Structure formats: C-alpha cells, structure tokens
Amino acid sequence: MNNKHSFTGKKIEPPDIHPNMSISDLITFYGCTGFNARRLSEAAMMFKKMIDTNATVCLTLSGAMTPIGLGKSISTMIEKGFIDWVITTGANAYHDLHFAYGLPVRQGHFDVDDDILYSKQIVRIYDIYIKEVETLQRQDHLIQNMIRGIRKRTVESGKDLSTSDLSYRLGETANNHSSSPEKSFMVSAFKQEVPIFIPSLTDSSIGMNMIPLLFESSLPSLNLLLDISESAAILWKSNISGGIELGGGVPKNFFQQTGPTLYQILKIKEGGHDYVIQLTDARPDTGGLSGATIQEGKSWGKIKSSHTGNVIVYGDSSVYFPLLCSYVLSECKPRKPKKLYHLKDQFVKEMKDNYLKKNKKK
C-alpha cells in the first residue's frame, strides 16, 4: 500500500497468445494485463493459496448456478477437498436435485413471449427452460416425501435440525434413491461430509414445499438459529479461513457475518476471514450488500485485512467460476476432506463452553 501512488508496479510487457493455451497459461496471460482479467488472475492465485495453506474454504452460492449445470463443477471441487462447506440459496439446492433425479431442464431462449411459455407450462430462468409438471411438480413431490422421511428418522431423537442437517439428509436420500446421484453437488456434499447451509430456506421452493407438511404436522423440528452457531463455530475453529462468493445476497452476508458473530456478539475471537474472493456484477455505490466491497467488511470485523487477502472480479460467475475451478484443479493436489459436517456439533459445544466460561468470569 505504501507504493500505491508510485511508479513501481510490474512493467506491462504485452504477453504472447498462442494456440492450445492451458488454463494455467491463460491465467498467467491475464496476470500480465489489467482490468478484470488481472483481477481474475489474482483471484486464481488467491484460491490456490487458500488450498496450499490448508485454509477452510467456503463456497457461497447465489444466482441460478445449478439450473445451468454448474452443480457438477461444485461436486468436483468438493470431491477434491477444495471446498469444505457451502452456503447456498434454497433455489440452487432445489434445482440441483433435478439432475440427480433425471428431471428435464433444457437450453431455451431469452427473447420470448412468456405468456406463451406459461400456456405451455414451461418455466423460464433467462435462457433456461424447466417443465412445470414433469420437473417442478415432480420435484415438489419428491422433496415433500424426502422431508417426511427425515422427520420419521429424527423425531425420536428430539434434536432440532439446522439447515445443514436438512441438506445432509436430502443429499443422503438422493444418493440412495436417485437415478444419477453423481450429477448432484448435494449428494457429493453428503458423501464428503460437507455441510450445506440454506439461510434463506423460506425464500425457495424447498421452503414452499414445507407448507403442506406444516398443515399435516409432518415437519421435522428446524431451528434456524443453529445455522448461526454452527457457521460461526466453523470460523472459530479454523486456523485459516477463506471464501469464494458467487454473486452476493444472503449467502454472501451469512458467510461474512460469522466474523461479527464471534467478535461483536460473543466476543471470543477477532479477525474474521483471511481470504475472500467475490465474483459479482453488482455495484458498490447503491449501498446494497451484494455490491459492497470486501474491504468495507473490515470495519465490521468480517475480514482480517482490508489491504490484502481479498479481491472482487466484476462479471458473470457462470464465466469466471469454471475458470477458477479449472486452474486450481490443474495447479493443486487434492486435499484430504475436512469432513466438517460430523465435527460441527462438537465445534458448537466447545464454542459455547468457551463463551460461558468467559462470561462467568465477568
């Protein structure tokens, strides 16, 4: 930062471009240029550093990433040990399961008459088409039966469930009963014991599908406050913490609020996250969280430094995320999975004991 206003930066030497460039070649090429190409190169190097330093890495997922087919890319990153926990919208979890159960999703068109699509019972997400009956209503039936099964399995324990518990059971059921479990990141997360939090559960088709079960008194006991304690405990137990944020929204804030939960509320740990990469097209000047700079988070205790360890790449996650994945898959050896799902309850217990001990002294 001391050299920020001096003429000491890396000399621009126009890089060569050539046929059959590898992803590593391309990222190096971007790093020799400027604008968002240079930011993408910086993000790729930072992601590699997270993996090389054995950071606990979280992926936050907003926007319609799974309907366009990126769920399998997320699965690969989970299976290689490069993603340790996930925070997603309910919509991405819901649509991810279409592929496990072989429900139809097609490429469509964005310049269309949606009244005509509605009459044909075709649902549109920009240029992606989903069938109303064959996909959505079929998925609804599956989701409701899955949650009924979860209630039967958990009601005797008397234990409240977090959304990570719900996600784990959804992934388990899809693993055991779907036709193509290898196509679902929910299944991969179950198999690798990667917790998936859905803090905006009620703002999704999964939440909507709980209404019939609510009326039937068939819901498992959910406690969404457990999500806050479990996610904060993961940061509390992490020596090094990093995040890849696709878009913004609730998943971005839920990930970053773990720092203030520990620092502002519980007063048991300062610092926040070591590394944060965000891929977004949102502007910072409108005051919305999705566009808020990562540096701004330092004032809240969300990150350790506003000067290092963070980068925002402005653009489309559907373009940039596969490039980041391909780069680290090329440059990094697979890591041993941290299996945080079956550790999180112990983490919360230890964090609770620490908090109560400190408050007893006061």
Side-chain angles (χ1 to χ4, degrees):
M1 290 298 292
N2 292 334
N3 295 325
K4 186 176 180 180
H5 299 96
S6 63
F7 197 71
T8 56
K10 180 180 177 180
K11 182 181 178 182
I12 295 290
E13 283 287 357
D16 292 325
I17 195 164
H18 54 82
N20 304 315
M21 292 175 73
S22 69
I23 185 64
S24 297
D25 293 337
L26 190 59
I27 292 298
T28 299
F29 179 96
Y30 288 155
C32 295
T33 62
F35 310 144
N36 276 292
R38 181 175 156 197
R39 287 174 179 263
L40 181 61
S41 178
E42 184 180 346
M45 302 296 180
M46 193 174 295
F47 195 0
K48 181 178 184 300
K49 190 172 184 180
M50 290 185 209
I51 294 167
D52 289 344
T53 58
N54 200 32
T56 301
V57 180
C58 178
L59 175 70
T60 78
L61 194 59
S62 62
M65 295 294 101
T66 59
I68 66 172
L70 288 187
K72 197 167 184 181
S73 299
I74 298 169
S75 291
T76 300
M77 301 300 284
I78 288 173
E79 290 158 6
K80 297 297 182 181
F82 296 161
I83 293 174
D84 302 303
W85 58 301
V86 177
I87 303 168
T88 183
T89 59
N92 274 306
Y94 174 80
H95 292 301
D96 171 75
L97 292 171
H98 300 337
F99 300 96
Y101 288 95
L103 306 179
V105 180
R106 296 285 182 91
Q107 291 182 335
H109 301 273
F110 66 90
D111 185 16
V112 293
D113 187 328
D114 288 286
D115 283 353
I116 296 175
L117 289 184
Y118 179 79
S119 70
K120 294 184 175 183
Q121 296 188 316
I122 298 172
V123 173
R124 179 170 73 94
I125 304 175
Y126 191 61
D127 61 352
I128 301 298
Y129 287 176
I130 302 174
K131 294 290 284 183
E132 167 67 36
V133 176
E134 292 92 331
T135 305
L136 297 186
Q137 293 188 25
R138 175 60 180 155
Q139 187 74 75
D140 294 339
H141 176 74
L142 289 167
I143 288 286
Q144 290 172 28
N145 283 338
M146 291 162 83
I147 295 175
R148 287 189 183 98
I150 291 169
R151 181 179 186 273
K152 289 179 182 178
R153 293 180 58 185
T154 59
V155 69
E156 292 182 0
S157 70
K159 180 182 179 293
D160 287 348
L161 304 182
S162 67
T163 62
S164 68
D165 296 320
L166 178 67
S167 297
Y168 183 82
R169 298 302 178 191
L170 292 175
E172 179 184 34
T173 305
N175 179 63
N176 294 337
H177 300 290
S178 69
S179 59
S180 302
E182 74 281 358
K183 295 181 181 180
S184 164
F185 88 85
M186 298 282 286
V187 171
S188 294
F190 158 72
K191 294 170 71 174
Q192 300 300 323
E193 300 179 28
V194 169
I196 299 176
F197 294 94
I198 312 176
S200 55
L201 179 67
T202 56
D203 185 27
S204 72
S205 291
I206 295 179
M208 291 156 56
N209 272 297
M210 290 185 174
I211 295 301
L213 280 66
L214 176 67
F215 292 166
E216 299 166 9
S217 300
S218 300
L219 279 177
S221 180
L222 284 167
N223 184 346
L224 300 186
L225 291 180
L226 290 175
D227 287 26
I228 302 176
S229 61
E230 291 176 4
S231 58
I234 290 173
L235 174 58
W236 184 66
K237 292 290 287 186
S238 298
N239 293 324
I240 303 173
S241 178
I244 313 294
E245 300 173 346
L246 305 190
V250 171
K252 172 186 176 179
N253 185 71
F254 190 80
F255 170 66
Q256 293 194 12
Q257 77 174 16
T258 52
T261 300
L262 298 177
Y263 166 61
Q264 175 190 340
I265 306 300
L266 297 178
K267 299 178 176 62
I268 59 175
K269 183 178 181 179
E270 291 188 40
H273 300 284
D274 299 88
Y275 303 105
V276 182
I277 296 166
Q278 184 182 12
L279 313 179
T280 184
D281 58 3
R283 293 165 41 192
D285 57 297
T286 59
L289 185 281
S290 293
T293 63
I294 301 170
Q295 293 96 320
E296 181 182 308
K298 174 59 183 177
S299 65
W300 293 85
K302 295 178 178 179
I303 57 173
K304 285 190 176 175
S305 172
S306 63
H307 302 309
T308 60
N310 61 83
V311 61
I312 297 177
V313 186
Y314 288 100
D316 190 334
S317 296
S318 69
V319 176
Y320 290 147
F321 180 61
L323 293 175
L324 291 182
C325 292
S326 181
Y327 178 76
V328 295
L329 288 168
S330 300
E331 294 289 323
C332 302
K333 294 181 180 179
R335 299 194 305 179
K336 183 179 179 180
K338 289 185 168 60
K339 297 185 180 293
L340 295 179
Y341 178 76
H342 282 105
L343 294 173
K344 65 182 179 63
D345 289 348
Q346 180 61 33
F347 288 176
V348 171
K349 182 181 183 303
E350 292 176 16
M351 186 176 72
K352 175 183 175 180
D353 291 344
N354 182 282
Y355 169 77
L356 293 176
K357 183 178 179 180
K358 286 192 173 186
N359 278 269
K360 187 176 181 180
K361 289 181 179 180
K362 294 179 181 179

